[in-house]
Amino acid sequence: MANIVVIGIQWGDEGKGKIVDLLTPDADVVARFQGGPNAGHTLVIGNKKTVLHLVPSGILHHNTLCLIGNGTVVAPETIVEEMDALMQAGIPVTDRLRISDRCQLILPYHRSLDAAREKARGKARIGTTGRGIGPAYEDKTARRGIRLIDLTSNDLNAKICESLGWANFLLTEYFKTDAVRRADVDTVLDLARERLLPLIADVSLLLQERHKAGDSMLFEGAQGTMLDVDFGTYPFVTSSNTVSGAAMAGLGIGPAMIDEVLGICKAYTTRVGAGPFPTELYNAEGMNHSAGRHLAERGQEFGATTGRPRRTGWFDAVVVRHAVRVAGVTGMAVTKLDVLDGLSDVNLCVAYERNGERLQSIPADAGILDECVPVYETLPGWSENTFGLTDMAQLPNNAKALLARIEEVCACPVKMLSTGPDREHICWL
Ligand code: GDP
Ligand code: IMO
Ligand code: MG
């Protein structure tokens, strides 16, 4: 198999975990390259559901090496809990999981800062996952972050004093809230020392060796292009680059090691958290279009990390075209087609209109995107059941027509079609 970057090309939760898991039998290595425990990747095998936040989605396959790259921010408590749950389920982890020594740690004060900032923003809050992602990446860029390798350094105390000192200054003086105790930070550092240091590796070197040996690799993205810190709906985004380009900087590899970019999108759109969403139909704040409610209910649209209800809406080809371009997507996997079963009509947004002008691409300003009105094409729906189908030939003609139109308006081929949460629910094109 070629080396494939798998990324989300909407607002996250497209089904990346499921697709990575089902491609893993053909891969020797699966590597995460950005994001952190804000991610929630769901794998369903038979009646067993596994949600992964930091451990790569290849972990259920016993012969696969799973790597966490330097671009990722790691919360020691979360990953240790995840490792323990996997091991309790009989999955060997420590032999097959390696974490970059250059990974930044998420420490308790990052979560406190995340919460304090969201509270201070009030109505303008981003709706983060509260996992401390933004503050951890801020510390990284400000060069006061704590990396896994720092746990072996004589300077660790000075580094913690700087990082915690800054956080506590902000918490107490600016946000007027409680400081984080050094003892609580030390507890987490002790856990990381005990459980994570034995797993550290130079991930870039490992990948180079494996590449030379002819191994095939999956690079697993988190979030989605519309949450990318540069190309998403800034400032309603996450704090990392989520596009395919981030795989290189987040692992220490060059472009020649990447053969394909597989973009995952739902056959409709969802978003958790605040920010513009032009094709939105349904949300917990009272928007209640019946098709949107159908998508939320049938799609069981609740966040895998926070349990929050997801906002739902029609498929937005302007969003997906944008992602196909900025991330160089070479093929798409369309997921959750089954959720559209039973809708009499299905809308596809092909462009936007704003002040009488037509827009074909995503404007840089989130305020402008918020004013965009979708231009829809309406296609006939289907009453047949597509749940669990594994053969394209069995799809209703209207579903085939929808997929053909999605390929056309997004200018990208559909390579896989997912028809249910289970690993087996897949049509290969
Ligand atoms: P990720 O973050 O991109 O890995 O996606 P999540 O796991 O957060 O959310 C996707 C949800 O949809 C999970 O509950 C999956 O089990 C489920 N899912 C994935 N593909 C399909 C599909 O084709 N049909 C249905 N009905 N559910 C799916
Ligand atoms: P996966 O990998 C969906 C969203 C949050 C919020 C914004 C910023 O499962 O697709 P953050 O905590 O990152 O600072 O929050 O990004 N968000 C996600 N939405 N899926 C995710 O990950 C997300 N990770 C972050 O809801 O709007
Ligand atoms: Mg998710």
Side-chain angles (χ1 to χ4, degrees), residues 160 163 260 277:
I160 301 286
S163 182
E260 301 277 346
F277 179 178

Side-chain angles (χ1 to χ4, degrees), residues 278 316 318-319 349 351-353 357-359 362 369 372-375:
D316 187 339
V318 188
V319 159
C349 167
Y352 301 142
E353 251 169 28
E357 241 185 86
R358 200 164 262 234
L359 281 79
I362 300 286
L369 183 60
C372 285
V373 177
V375 177

Side-chain angles (χ1 to χ4, degrees), residues 102-382:
R102 290 174 167 84
C103 272
Q104 296 278 332
L105 294 181
I106 301 180
L107 293 168
Y109 47 90
H110 294 125
R111 282 187 292 271
S112 299
L113 282 170
D114 196 351
R117 187 171 301 141
E118 284 285 271
K119 191 170 169 220
R121 275 179 156 258
K123 278 208 166 92
R125 69 183 173 276
I126 289 164
T128 71
T129 59
R131 298 300 189 266
I133 304 296
Y137 277 117
E138 282 168 46
D139 274 2
K140 169 180 179 171
T141 311
R143 295 162 291 190
R144 61 170 172 265
I146 311 293
R147 312 204 289 180
L148 260 176
I149 194 66
D150 292 331
L151 295 173
T152 65
S153 155
N154 291 332
D155 298 334
L156 179 62
N157 184 49
K159 287 174 196 273
I160 301 286
C161 287
E162 187 194 352
S163 182
L164 177 63
W166 173 250
N168 277 340
F169 171 74
L170 284 176
L171 286 168
T172 57
E173 301 299 318
Y174 185 75
F175 292 114
K176 306 290 180 204
T177 179
D178 296 339
V180 169
R181 293 179 328 143
R182 172 67 191 252
D184 293 337
V185 177
D186 285 340
T187 306
V188 178
L189 294 173
D190 288 343
L191 180 73
R193 203 175 279 112
E194 185 198 340
R195 300 290 305 276
L196 305 185
L197 273 189
L199 305 182
I200 62 171
D202 185 324
V203 163
S204 168
L205 267 178
L206 250 180
L207 285 169
Q208 190 191 37
E209 282 163 16
R210 291 297 198 115
H211 184 56
K212 275 193 186 149
D215 277 7
S216 47
M217 302 175 183
L218 288 171
F219 306 121
E220 177 181 5
Q223 291 83 51
T225 306
M226 294 308 284
L227 291 169
D228 182 280
V229 68
D230 287 292
F231 294 106
T233 48
Y234 191 89
F236 299 98
V237 292
T238 190
S239 298
S240 66
N241 282 115
T242 62
V243 291
S244 56
M248 286 175 269
L251 290 165
I253 60 171
M257 234 158 105
I258 295 172
D259 303 305
E260 301 277 346
V261 179
L262 183 65
I264 318 297
C265 58
K266 287 176 180 163
Y268 50 98
T269 312
T270 64
R271 172 164 206 174
V272 220
F277 179 178
T279 64
E280 183 168 23
L281 298 170
Y282 178 86
N283 60 42
E285 270 77 59
M287 193 185 253
N288 194 10
H289 187 286
S290 63
R293 196 169 58 245
H294 171 110
L295 299 172
E297 284 169 5
R298 216 183 144 112
Q300 296 178 10
E301 293 297 353
F302 294 94
T305 295
T306 58
R308 291 179 289 176
R310 296 178 183 140
R311 303 155 67 189
T312 65
W314 295 120
F315 186 91
D316 187 339
V318 188
V319 159
V320 173
R321 268 201 309 264
H322 172 76
V324 165
R325 173 167 41 82
V326 300
V329 175
T330 56
M332 298 189 287
V334 176
T335 61
K336 304 192 96 160
L337 181 85
D338 54 293
V339 174
L340 301 182
D341 293 355
L343 287 171
S344 52
D345 293 311
V346 177
N347 281 347
L348 268 188
C349 167
V350 293
Y352 301 142
E353 251 169 28
R354 179 178 169 269
N355 297 339
E357 241 185 86
R358 200 164 262 234
L359 281 79
Q360 300 287 348
S361 59
I362 300 286
D365 185 330
I368 293 181
L369 183 60
D370 215 18
E371 293 166 8
C372 285
V373 177
V375 177
Y376 285 123
E377 274 182 23
T378 302
L379 284 84
W382 55 90

Side-chain angles (χ1 to χ4, degrees), residues 55-56 58-66 82-98 199:
V55 172
I59 198 75
L60 301 188
H61 299 267
H62 288 209
N63 295 321
T64 309
L65 176 65
C66 289
E82 215 167 295
M83 285 161 50
D84 287 345
L86 287 164
M87 288 188 288
Q88 261 165 28
I91 295 147
V93 175
T94 46
D95 291 351
R96 299 183 296 123
L97 178 68
R98 290 293 171 270
L199 305 182

Side-chain angles (χ1 to χ4, degrees), residues 12-14 16 38-42 304-305 310:
D13 301 331
E14 299 89 348
K16 298 173 290 292
N38 48 348
H41 295 180
T42 315
T305 295
R310 296 178 183 140

